């Protein structure tokens, strides 16, 4: 399975909203409502932000939301804050005949 | 509090072997699938392998199939990754990650807790 496609970088000012896209194929993103998103600060482990396309784990701010249309999933962060500056990775189930998971290449979010 | 603590990383020559461990606490270990996810220096995340809660089902990325073996000892609350025939491209930080149990004890692509990672360097 090829990696999912994400923009290398996005930026926004505090208080603004940004959206990070994650494009896959009909074999992964397009076939399953099983997209998750992870936030990773430098030198730290990833943190789950969104699962099953649009569900937020307990403790994750409601400023983070997820959606999907066709083969493309999206993560939207509203009311940008300085602490949102991090790398973001999407992830999709990609199994057909066997279990498989594919990540996106990651997007660096810069808060200006 | 859920805690995952990886160990066993280090420097190994190409063709060598290494066994990673992940000690889990704060949850009923046997009830949850677990995965290994790696990150090469300066690169993105790559799923490596997953195992069901009972240990009866295992899954591998094509890049490691036939070289890596995932296992678990539920009596010791510990996850393992045996890595053989290591290559330079296996150099990465290896994270163990817990599945939230959305599909009972079977693995998914959701990882709700991660360890701090252990660095594996394959070089001569």
């Amino acid at each position: 399975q090829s990696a999912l496609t994400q923009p290398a970088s996005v930026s926004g000012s505090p208080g603004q909203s940004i959206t990070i896209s994650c494009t896959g194929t009909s074999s992964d993103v397009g076939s399953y409502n099983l997209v998750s998103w992870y936030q990773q600060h430098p030198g730290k482990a990833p943190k789950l932000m969104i699962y099953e396309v649009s569900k937020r784990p307990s403790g994750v701010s409601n400023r983070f939301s997820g959606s999907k249309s066709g083969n493309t999933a999206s993560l939207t962060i509203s009311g940008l804050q300085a602490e949102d500056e991090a790398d973001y990775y999407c992830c999709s189930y990609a199994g057909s005949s066997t279990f498989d998971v594919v990540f996106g290449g990651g997007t660096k979010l810069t808060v200006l | 509090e859920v805690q995952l603590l990886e160990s066993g990383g280090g420097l190994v020559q190409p063709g060598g072997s290494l066994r990673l461990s992940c000690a889990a606490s704060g949850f009923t270990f046997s009830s949850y699938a677990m995965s290994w996810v790696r990150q090469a220096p300066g690169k993105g995340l790559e799923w490596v392998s997953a195992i069901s809660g009972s240990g009866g089902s295992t899954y591998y990325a094509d890049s490691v199939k036939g070289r890596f073996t995932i296992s678990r000892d539920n009596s010791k609350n510990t996850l393992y990754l045996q890595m053989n025939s290591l290559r330079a491209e296996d150099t990465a930080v290896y994270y163990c990650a817990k599945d939230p149990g959305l599909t009972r004890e079977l693995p998914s692509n959701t990882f709700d807790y991660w360890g701090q990672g252990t660095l594996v360097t394959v070089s001569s």
Side-chain angles (χ1 to χ4, degrees):
Chain A
Q1 286 290 344
S2 300
L4 307 174
T5 301
Q6 298 181 232
S9 63
V10 298
S11 62
S13 299
Q16 288 185 332
S17 294
I18 63 94
T19 296
I20 299 172
S21 62
C22 170
T23 301
T25 69
S26 57
S27 297
D28 39 62
V29 175
S31 285
Y32 311 97
N33 288 324
L34 294 173
V35 176
S36 51
W37 289 89
Y38 300 88
Q39 176 192 66
Q40 186 180 35
H41 287 107
K44 301 295 187 181
K47 175 186 176 184
L48 176 65
M49 305 303 286
I50 295 288
Y51 68 100
E52 293 182 348
V53 176
S54 60
K55 298 178 181 178
R56 264 182 294 107
S58 173
V60 171
S61 170
N62 59 10
R63 297 186 298 106
F64 291 83
S65 62
S67 63
K68 191 188 88 165
S69 178
N71 296 338
T72 299
S74 299
L75 173 71
T76 298
I77 309 173
S78 59
L80 268 180
Q81 299 179 1
E83 57 262 37
D84 298 333
E85 184 163 297
D87 293 325
Y88 291 84
Y89 294 91
C90 61
C91 177
S92 176
Y93 178 73
S96 51
S97 57
T98 186
F99 180 84
D100 196 10
V101 171
V102 61
F103 281 94
T107 297
K108 169 65 177 175
L109 169 61
T110 300
V111 180
L112 302 170
Chain B
E1 179 191 5
V2 172
Q3 291 193 335
L4 300 171
L5 185 61
E6 302 95 337
S7 60
L11 175 63
V12 61
Q13 293 188 337
S17 298
L18 212 55
R19 188 176 85 154
L20 306 183
S21 299
C22 172
S25 61
F27 63 103
T28 305
F29 183 66
S30 60
S31 294
Y32 297 91
M34 298 290 295
S35 283
W36 289 97
V37 177
R38 69 184 180 183
Q39 186 170 35
K43 302 297 184 181
L45 301 171
E46 180 188 14
W47 172 76
V48 173
S49 182
I51 187 168
S52 61
S54 66
S57 298
T58 58
Y59 310 92
Y60 300 93
D62 287 344
S63 57
V64 306
K65 201 170 295 181
R67 300 187 299 122
F68 290 11
T69 301
I70 191 171
S71 63
R72 63 192 298 161
D73 185 335
N74 286 343
S75 68
K76 295 182 178 179
N77 290 349
T78 302
L79 175 72
Y80 302 100
L81 186 67
Q82 177 67 43
M83 304 185 295
N84 299 330
S85 303
L86 282 162
R87 307 165 179 167
E89 55 264 36
D90 295 319
T91 294
V93 173
Y94 284 73
Y95 295 100
C96 68
K98 173 186 168 293
D99 193 285
L102 301 173
T103 51
R104 299 208 173 180
E105 62 122 17
L106 296 177
S108 70
N109 69 309
T110 301
F111 312 110
D112 60 350
Y113 289 93
W114 299 63
Q116 87 292 344
T118 186
L119 176 62
V120 172
T121 303
V122 184
S123 175
S124 54

